[in-house]
Amino acid sequence: MNRITPALERLVAELGKLPSVGPKTAFRQALYILETDAEIADGLALAVREARSKVKRCKLCYNYTEEERCSICADQSREQGTICVVSGIGNLYAIERSGEYNGLYHVLEGNISPLEGRGPSNIRLDELVSRLRGEETVKEVILATNPTVEGDATAMYVREQIKSLGLSLKVSRIAYGLPVGGDIDYVDDLTLSRALSSRLEM
Ligand SMILES: [Zn+2]
């Protein structure tokens, strides 16, 4: 049996801890790192260190930033009266890519999940509530948690919390849609039933 060296074995093991990287991919990547130019390998190592040391959470919305406030919170041209609540940073970036939204965010740390031991206090909901209490400029909260059982439960909980604050805030939930260019024949039942129930008046 071909034994690989301890250092190479460790590199494969570390790469294999990354999401969507299986053992074969990890091995290929490790070989690439060994065989490529030294600058590329060093650049990768440096980028990992730098990202870990410089990138932190925005004090207001918990987006990533290298300053106190993220570039979205610091941008005065964005609508200060709307906060979009998402379950994670990835969802924030997806909404930004759509170019459809020009307000602010609040990034939760996942969804409420009793099975995984995550309650409202574990996912930065308290921070959202105290933010809403302190900011009278906010007029609408859009709940953009995922359309899953947990995402729905989180959205319901946030809505109840906001209602209990007694603020005159509009609370909305993103509509569940059919994929653009798709054929209704091929859409799963749940998506179709949700698309029907979240229909808009024309
Ligand atoms: Zn921010």
Side-chain angles (χ1 to χ4, degrees):
M1 186 181 139
N2 266 342
R3 295 275 313 167
I4 60 174
T5 82
L8 180 55
E9 198 172 301
R10 173 153 184 228
L11 182 56
V12 173
E14 295 301 325
L15 289 168
K17 291 175 187 168
L18 296 173
S20 327
V21 178
K24 280 185 186 167
T25 305
F27 191 70
R28 269 201 307 276
Q29 289 175 339
L31 288 186
Y32 175 79
I33 289 170
L34 272 187
E35 291 163 9
T36 188
D37 293 343
E39 294 113 74
I40 294 179
D42 290 344
L44 175 66
L46 191 68
V48 171
R49 267 182 204 283
E50 212 172 60
R52 288 294 304 205
S53 70
K54 287 189 178 168
V55 180
K56 54 192 178 182
R57 297 282 185 169
C58 170
K59 287 240 161 40
L60 199 61
C61 75
Y62 299 90
N63 180 15
Y64 284 133
T65 180
E66 295 184 21
E67 317 289 334
E68 283 283 291
R69 298 248 165 133
C70 74
S71 57
I72 294 173
C73 287
D75 182 352
Q76 290 300 315
S77 75
R78 296 189 71 116
E79 284 164 37
Q80 306 291 311
T82 314
I83 294 180
C84 180
V85 179
V86 291
S87 305
I89 294 267
N91 296 356
L92 180 155
Y93 291 143
I95 293 173
E96 282 299 288
R97 274 197 306 273
S98 78
E100 281 294 314
Y101 181 67
N102 193 37
L104 306 177
Y105 289 93
H106 183 86
V107 184
L108 297 175
E109 195 162 359
N111 293 306
I112 295 172
S113 170
L115 282 178
E116 288 169 38
R118 276 198 312 276
S121 56
N122 307 118
I123 62 166
R124 290 195 287 263
L125 271 182
D126 297 343
E127 286 84 343
L128 173 64
V129 170
S130 48
R131 181 177 172 191
L132 293 174
R133 256 203 209 104
E135 281 186 49
E136 283 155 16
T137 44
V138 180
K139 299 285 175 258
E140 180 175 7
V141 174
I142 301 170
L143 301 171
T145 52
N146 282 328
T148 57
V149 173
E150 292 179 350
D152 282 344
T154 305
M156 292 291 264
Y157 185 87
V158 176
R159 194 191 63 177
E160 293 312 310
Q161 288 285 300
I162 293 172
K163 296 268 170 194
S164 74
L165 285 176
L167 301 170
S168 57
L169 272 180
K170 183 179 167 194
V171 181
S172 54
R173 179 93 170 98
I174 47 165
Y176 301 114
L178 298 167
V180 174
D183 185 324
I184 287 178
D185 268 10
Y186 298 109
V187 170
D188 68 275
D189 297 350
L190 194 58
T191 302
L192 190 53
S193 76
R194 285 190 162 179
L196 277 168
S197 62
S198 60
R199 66 189 178 276
L200 301 167
E201 197 177 320
M202 290 181 74

